[in-house]
Amino acid sequence: MTTNRDNVQIEIIIAGEPIKLTVPFSRQDSVRKCEKDLNALYSDWRAKFPRKTQSELMAMIAYQYASFFQELSERYAAITSSLQLTSESLDDLLSSKSSRRDDELK
């Protein structure tokens, strides 16, 4: 029986090239969606840029995904920093209210 913690071997095809992968069982759907999205982009760009070689198209796709990843990483870092500051502010606020309440009880 396969569990969500087990790895499975699958084969995907990107731009006609088979790629063998070992992925967590729980990530199979995500891998298949990625395969589908990459192939859709490849097909779309193949039609838009008929003079580009397969290598050029794959380089363009790699850049596109790397650019998206970089942007998401920057957003994640900014949000994480903002959440950390918010958490610290809330901690300070709760601490000061607790101190005032303790003072009132004395």
Side-chain angles (χ1 to χ4, degrees):
M1 180 174 169
T2 303
T3 68
N4 281 337
R5 293 182 181 183
D6 292 335
N7 287 334
V8 294
Q9 294 181 346
I10 62 174
E11 182 176 276
I12 62 172
I13 299 174
I14 305 293
E17 296 292 327
I19 303 167
K20 292 184 182 197
L21 301 171
T22 301
V23 299
F25 180 82
S26 62
R27 298 286 302 154
Q28 289 181 90
D29 290 343
S30 178
V31 170
R32 293 293 181 197
K33 181 170 180 354
C34 187
E35 173 188 31
K36 180 182 173 188
D37 291 347
L38 281 166
N39 283 315
L41 183 58
Y42 178 81
S43 294
D44 184 43
W45 284 5
R46 168 93 320 205
K48 286 182 182 176
F49 307 106
R51 294 178 187 227
K52 299 281 186 191
T53 67
Q54 181 172 335
S55 294
E56 288 173 313
L57 288 172
M58 292 309 295
M60 291 165 58
I61 290 169
Y63 172 78
Q64 184 75 23
Y65 274 79
S67 176
F68 288 153
F69 180 79
Q70 182 64 36
E71 182 180 345
L72 288 174
S73 294
E74 291 168 3
R75 287 182 181 185
Y76 178 81
I79 289 170
T80 300
S81 177
S82 178
L83 288 172
Q84 181 63 35
L85 291 173
T86 301
S87 178
E88 290 169 3
S89 294
L90 287 171
D91 287 346
D92 290 345
L93 180 63
L94 290 173
S95 177
S96 69
K97 284 193 175 202
S98 177
S99 293
R100 276 189 259 153
R101 188 177 320 127
D102 290 345
D103 289 343
E104 289 172 0
L105 292 175
K106 290 182 182 177

